[in-house]
Amino acid sequence: MHEHDIDWAGMAERLITEGEALLPFVTGAAASLAERIAPRRIMDIGAGPGVAACALAQRFPDAEVIAVDGSEQLLERAAERARSMGMRLTTRVAEFPDGFADLPEADLIWTSHVLHHVGDQAAAVRALAGKLHPGGILAIAEGGLTTRFLPRDTGLGRPGLEARIEAAATEWFSRMRAGLPHAADVVEDWPTMLAASGLVEAGSRSYLIDRPAPLHDGFRAFVRSQFVRAAETLAEDLDAEDLATLTTLAGDGQDSIAHRSDVYILAARTVHSAARPQPR
Ligand SMILES: C[S@@+](CC[C@H](N)C(=O)[O-])C[C@H]1O[C@@H](n2cnc3c(N)ncnc32)[C@H](O)[C@@H]1O
């Protein structure tokens, strides 16, 4: 199994807990977007199990919201979520890049943490820009600050574990990208890519997610899933001491994420956006 062969459907629960934990960046960005546009149709590209798509449907109740993803199983979860929240949501299976030609145009295209899984990110931005109605906005959530969960010194192993996990995850990310079909190196300057796709008013804004300790069980489950995933994916990148600490944190004991009083969620997520110009 290569880094880029990700079992998305198998990650449904993890994507839901993550989406819910980080939801403030979606609601914050949606509020900023609502000051600029009253969309009739919204597409969430790579919507997964639909946490953001449902938040967008809530923020823009008059819009038709289409959740688009390569995974039919995840879209079933998105539809279930929408039903349980009493939201209207349409789903559409489409795989980047080939399946995107048939998608309709939209006034707001939202895509969060998806384009970095596509080999040619600049081409993906161009393809999405081409699906905007005049005056429509493309909003891309990529980057920000790595989420932190624990104090520097946790009383377990060498202090600074999360900084070393971040460094190892950066290497993993580069390997993942290099293995993608049609992988193309590009400077990850999203506003420049948006402008190069013919869009105007390109800019970026970041949103804070601040959930202080002590966390409730739902958010704790998200943090634990992050440590379990780090232990799975970074086993060869971390030294034995850090891996042992990570395994303890991801386990069930008194020192684990499940029982510690000092676990928090602190993150920033960036949303880059630009508009398709109106014809003169
Ligand atoms: C990291 S998840 C992000 C999910 C959601 N947007 C969020 O921010 O929580 C990436 C999503 O993109 C989808 N995806 C990845 N590569 C894709 C591709 N080439 N075409 C369509 N969907 C893809 C996956 O199925 C998954 O649902």
Side-chain angles (χ1 to χ4, degrees), residues 2 65 81:
H2 298 290
V65 181
R81 184 179 181 87

Side-chain angles (χ1 to χ4, degrees), residues 8-9 11 15 18-19 25 44-52 68-71 74 94-97 100 110-114 116-118 141:
W8 289 115
M11 286 179 66
L15 291 173
E18 178 167 22
F25 97 82
D44 180 352
I45 304 294
V51 178
V68 180
D69 204 279
S71 162
L74 288 180
E95 188 78 35
F96 235 150
F100 275 61
W110 169 269
T111 185
S112 161
H113 305 109
V114 176
H116 64 252
H117 295 291
V118 175

